[in-house]
Amino acid sequence: MSYTPPSDPVNKVTNKTIKISQLCELCHSRKAVIKRPKNLQKICKLCFFHVFETEIHNTIVTNNLFYKGERVAVGASGGKDSTVLAHMLKYLNEKYNYGIEIVLLSIDEGIVGYRDDSLATVKRNQQQYQLPLEIVSFKELYNWTMDEIVATAGIRNSCTYCGVFRRQALDRGAEKLGIHHVITGHNADDMAETVLMNILRGDVARLEKSTAIITKSKGSPIKRSKPFKYSYQKEIVLYAHFKKLDYFSTECTYAPEAFRGTAREFMKNLESVRPSCIIDIIQSGENLVLKQKKVHTNGQQNSNKVAGGFVDGNRCTKCGYLSSNDICKACILLEGLERNRPSITLDNDSSVDGAARVMRQLEHMSF
Amino acid sequence: MVKVKVEFLGGLDVIFNKERVHKVEVPQEDPVTLKDLLDYIIDNMIANKNDVPVFIENDTVRPGIITLINDTDWELEGELEYELQDGDIISFTSTLHGG
């Protein structure tokens, strides 16, 4: 699959003259092409690039995301957010001399017809941006591909498995590279969705953590950061569109995460009424600080147990990965899977590949 | 009648026979508005009628899909009331997928 960039309609010469009200509100000289959701400002393409890049630079600097000489891994899926992220970090690193070394880190979940295509995009990105690329696969880490997991455990819980394993795989991949900082392309829309989801679920423990720009578990050598925390999805997509970045855009073959889907739809509808709501929700999320619960000191209680039931710095007794319980989530899931693994397999059995696609086709069938 | 180019990006092409770029002639007396184009797309271009809600919600483009008229945000061009001209490029980009 190769990349065909979208068309580039040059400002068409029409007999219509541009009205003053159509001019960019920043430079007052070019035609505005975008209305910023954040503040409803109408600006031209060049001013948009400048403002958008500068805002991300400011987020990076004010939060001290990097130090000189740091090696960082960009979680690259080939999708719009991570593609813009890789492009942006490389650009800003050169422009403002952060002095960081960027590596692309991709996870191959083993989803035929989806991840193989998006990995092809990442490989093209690697060429386009001249950055090193490391691919870590579920198969080598867990001896399961997502296709096999879905064939065994069904499609319903696919996102649970994928989410748990991918999170861990990113850390393991970074560790393999000797990198202690993973950067992800989570944007403002994702943030706001997560805040809403945690409120709707009543997940108090996660609510406070969910808006942090840098997250790090106690005892973990790896920190994570989200430089796009305040960047609107719309602007990220338009940036990619105007810059003609090569990104992959297909929904995962396995049913999109249902609950997040609901929250996303809700958010999109809110946004169409009042675009600033996304940043407002993040702001609210940041300011929601819970009163510290009284820690009961019965002697039995673990001393580093904090309100909400998280135990930080604990390790899984099976794999040694950080875990809030004795056995980490991934190991619990794996155990369940192993119990259900078919004991006999057919040679050259390809029915597992793309099981989701078959499911999807079946869903669309009607009598 | 007006001849325009319509692009379905960001994965939207799946409901248009996986074709990203379409040349469209809207057979209608001038002026042809963007609303007319949407109606034309719904009636003639979406292969499977069950897919219409992927593209349209409440008689307009579904929230989360970015509409550009000649690379300009449609919000700056009058949205549904925009009058199409020959050679216009209208692009619809979905943002409703993972990143």
Side-chain angles (χ1 to χ4, degrees):
Chain A
M1 222 173 73
S2 66
Y3 170 66
T4 16
S7 63
D8 186 12
V10 232
N11 286 329
K12 286 201 319 172
V13 188
T14 54
N15 41 12
K16 273 198 221 161
T17 42
I18 293 177
K19 290 181 218 137
I20 287 185
S21 62
Q22 286 179 305
L23 288 176
C24 169
E25 289 176 12
L26 289 177
C27 66
H28 305 285
S29 51
R30 287 176 290 257
K31 186 169 173 274
V33 298
I34 170 174
K35 192 168 167 188
R36 299 200 73 196
K38 214 173 261 188
N39 53 12
L40 305 183
Q41 204 171 39
K42 301 169 190 172
I43 54 179
C44 70
K45 203 186 273 189
L46 290 180
C47 289
F48 168 61
F49 289 155
H50 181 247
V51 174
F52 187 66
E53 287 156 359
T54 308
E55 280 182 2
I56 289 159
H57 168 64
N58 289 342
T59 307
I60 290 172
V61 172
T62 48
N63 292 286
N64 288 317
L65 289 195
F66 312 123
Y67 59 84
K68 254 204 164 63
E70 187 172 19
R71 293 178 70 222
V72 298
V74 173
S77 65
K80 54 185 159 46
D81 300 315
S82 58
T83 302
V84 176
L85 181 65
H87 166 90
M88 188 67 81
L89 283 181
K90 185 180 158 73
Y91 171 77
L92 293 177
N93 187 31
E94 282 162 10
K95 182 170 180 186
Y96 295 104
N97 199 14
Y98 297 152
I100 53 170
E101 192 187 315
I102 305 164
V103 179
L104 300 175
L105 175 59
S106 285
I107 309 298
D108 182 1
E109 295 93 345
I111 306 175
V112 172
Y114 170 68
R115 187 48 97 212
D116 39 358
D117 288 349
S118 61
L119 281 175
T121 313
V122 180
K123 285 173 190 156
R124 285 200 302 276
N125 289 159
Q126 179 200 6
Q127 294 302 317
Q128 288 152 359
Y129 306 140
Q130 291 294 308
L131 296 170
L133 166 69
E134 176 76 24
I135 300 176
V136 187
S137 76
F138 276 16
K139 188 73 186 170
E140 63 181 88
L141 282 182
Y142 307 109
N143 197 24
W144 284 88
T145 66
M146 266 318 284
D147 282 338
E148 288 167 354
I149 292 174
V150 170
T152 308
I155 202 164
R156 288 255 168 261
N157 304 314
S158 52
C159 294
T160 310
Y161 286 99
C162 194
V164 170
F165 291 153
R166 177 146 33 99
R167 201 184 155 73
Q168 213 185 72
L170 268 179
D171 280 8
R172 290 183 189 271
E175 218 154 346
K176 194 169 148 192
L177 294 165
I179 291 176
H180 297 147
H181 189 172
V182 175
I183 308 171
T184 54
H186 291 101
N187 58 42
D189 297 50
D190 298 330
M191 275 292 198
E193 267 166 42
T194 309
V195 171
L196 274 181
M197 279 165 67
N198 285 332
I199 289 175
L200 294 174
R201 268 201 297 239
D203 194 335
V204 193
R206 283 209 178 78
L207 188 56
E208 265 191 277
K209 288 181 156 189
S210 63
T211 50
I213 187 161
I214 301 177
T215 45
K216 189 173 183 216
S217 309
K218 208 167 154 192
S220 164
I222 294 172
K223 67 173 178 182
R224 284 155 178 268
S225 65
K226 310 180 182 84
F228 285 173
K229 183 186 169 187
Y230 299 113
S231 308
Y232 272 65
Q233 184 146 286
K234 177 180 171 180
E235 295 194 333
I236 293 173
V237 173
L238 283 178
Y239 187 86
H241 181 85
F242 291 145
K243 286 267 180 186
K244 313 224 169 296
L245 301 185
D246 176 6
Y247 70 91
F248 177 79
S249 51
T250 303
E251 190 56 86
C252 173
T253 13
Y254 297 114
E257 216 182 324
F259 188 48
R260 188 171 281 277
T262 313
R264 180 175 300 172
E265 199 121 301
F266 179 62
M267 280 273 322
K268 283 288 139 200
N269 288 325
L270 277 180
E271 189 190 0
S272 61
V273 180
R274 204 176 84 137
S276 71
C277 79
I278 290 180
I279 224 79
D280 297 341
I281 291 173
I282 297 177
Q283 160 89 3
S284 310
E286 285 173 341
N287 288 301
L288 265 173
V289 180
L290 295 166
K291 216 165 103 185
Q292 199 70 28
K293 246 192 207 166
K294 261 191 203 158
V295 182
H296 301 287
T297 40
N298 298 349
Q300 291 169 326
Q301 287 267 2
N302 203 328
S303 60
N304 56 0
K305 191 155 198 155
V306 290
F310 274 115
V311 187
D312 267 346
N314 202 10
R315 284 189 180 273
C316 170
T317 50
K318 282 191 87 173
C319 68
Y321 183 75
L322 277 173
S323 161
S324 43
N325 297 308
D326 286 348
I327 296 177
C328 73
K329 195 85 192 287
C331 284
I332 295 174
L333 292 177
L334 277 174
E335 223 178 75
L337 282 172
E338 291 298 344
R339 240 178 291 147
N340 293 315
R341 194 197 276 273
S343 43
I344 306 168
T345 49
L346 297 171
D347 274 349
N348 303 322
D349 180 10
S350 62
S351 64
V352 167
D353 291 345
R357 232 189 311 181
V358 179
M359 291 264 201
R360 203 161 247 207
Q361 279 166 0
L362 286 173
E363 276 172 12
H364 285 293
M365 281 171 115
S366 57
F367 295 100
Chain B
M1 189 171 87
V2 69
K3 288 182 191 175
V4 294
K5 198 155 129 196
V6 183
E7 296 177 325
F8 300 102
L9 312 170
L12 261 186
D13 52 311
V14 284
I15 64 166
F16 296 94
N17 295 321
K18 305 212 166 159
E19 214 50 68
R20 285 159 66 98
V21 184
H22 296 252
K23 283 195 176 127
V24 177
E25 290 181 20
V26 187
Q28 202 175 334
E29 296 247 327
D30 287 348
V32 182
T33 63
L34 197 76
K35 175 75 184 129
D36 298 325
L37 176 68
L38 289 187
D39 290 339
Y40 180 85
I41 291 172
I42 298 167
D43 293 337
N44 303 289
M45 293 172 67
I46 298 182
N48 182 344
K49 287 288 162 273
N50 295 336
D51 288 335
V52 173
V54 175
F55 183 56
I56 299 288
E57 193 176 304
N58 297 327
D59 293 325
T60 185
V61 179
R62 183 169 165 215
I65 295 176
I66 300 172
T67 307
L68 296 178
I69 299 168
N70 298 321
D71 259 4
T72 301
D73 198 342
W74 77 327
E75 289 177 49
L76 303 175
E77 300 281 359
E79 303 194 7
L80 294 172
E81 270 95 66
Y82 174 79
E83 289 178 13
L84 298 178
Q85 297 177 3
D86 276 333
D88 276 352
I89 298 177
I90 316 293
S91 74
F92 301 96
T93 309
S94 172
T95 63
L96 301 163
H97 50 76

